[in-house]
Amino acid sequence: MIRAVIAIGDPRLRTRTQHRLAGAEGFDLAVLDTLRPDAIPALHGPPDAILLDSADAKGPAALGRWARAAPLAVFADTGDHEAITAALKAGARGILARDLAAAELAAAVLLVAAGSCVRAPAAGRRTVADLVPPQRSWPLSPRETEVMGLLAEGLTNQQIAHSLYLSPTTVKGHVSTILRKLGVSNRVQAVALYSQTPAA
């Protein structure tokens, strides 16, 4: 059961999001009546994912507080590079289009809750690339590149471990090394760099 918190100011988007996820199996939904992350402890149990709208974000500090509370997915216009950049820098794992179909939304939230990075088609591709330094050559080993390819497909560490017959601890170590070698701080940035690197 995925415990998802919906903290969205726009009542129409909030209700639409609630209805779409309520129709999917495996979700326990909580809707906040305030846009303050300090309201989360009052809920019964910590959330597995938080859904926020970029229109409600009041700067990177506020976004960061949400992201520290639980894996964060942010609704944003695909062309709003400033909002997408702010969300990614604050640690958001998901950048979602507001018009996602119910099944797509549920799948995206499940991936975010599992630790994967998700972005709507064309949502901030250029913006994410702007957050990572240019690479003169692909610095990853063949095994790390293999792990990176599965990360780009949205697989969790557990799924990568199963696919490559590795332990989850080994996969976690590979992911940490990948982030360090690429000079990025999270999976979203790593995937963006990987997707735009010819050597990948």
Side-chain angles (χ1 to χ4, degrees), residues 13-166:
L13 179 60
R14 183 173 62 243
T15 300
R16 189 164 68 244
T17 301
Q18 183 179 5
H19 286 170
R20 287 174 178 174
L21 290 179
E25 291 186 12
F27 282 93
D28 179 15
L29 301 178
V31 181
L32 289 184
D33 57 4
T34 175
L35 295 179
R36 299 196 329 271
D38 56 7
I40 291 177
L43 300 175
H44 299 294
D48 299 303
I50 297 172
L51 285 91
L52 193 70
D53 187 62
S54 62
D56 300 319
K58 305 301 180 184
L63 278 169
R65 286 193 292 272
W66 286 106
R68 286 191 295 274
L72 178 64
V74 178
F75 288 108
D77 294 324
T78 57
D80 190 347
H81 302 302
E82 183 177 349
I84 293 172
T85 298
L88 293 173
K89 285 185 174 180
R93 290 183 180 175
I95 302 296
L96 311 179
R98 295 186 179 93
D99 59 353
L100 278 179
E104 295 173 324
L105 176 60
V109 176
L110 285 171
L111 285 170
V112 167
S116 296
C117 297
V118 180
R119 69 180 187 272
R125 180 180 178 91
R126 185 185 67 193
T127 305
V128 178
D130 289 342
L131 300 179
V132 297
Q135 299 290 321
R136 295 181 179 178
S137 61
W138 189 245
L140 305 185
S141 70
R143 173 61 88 180
E144 290 161 357
T145 299
E146 196 172 14
V147 171
M148 182 68 250
L150 295 177
L151 280 178
E153 293 178 14
L155 272 64
T156 65
N157 284 0
Q158 190 73 34
Q159 291 168 328
I160 293 172
H162 179 75
S163 177
L164 299 180
Y165 302 98
L166 300 173

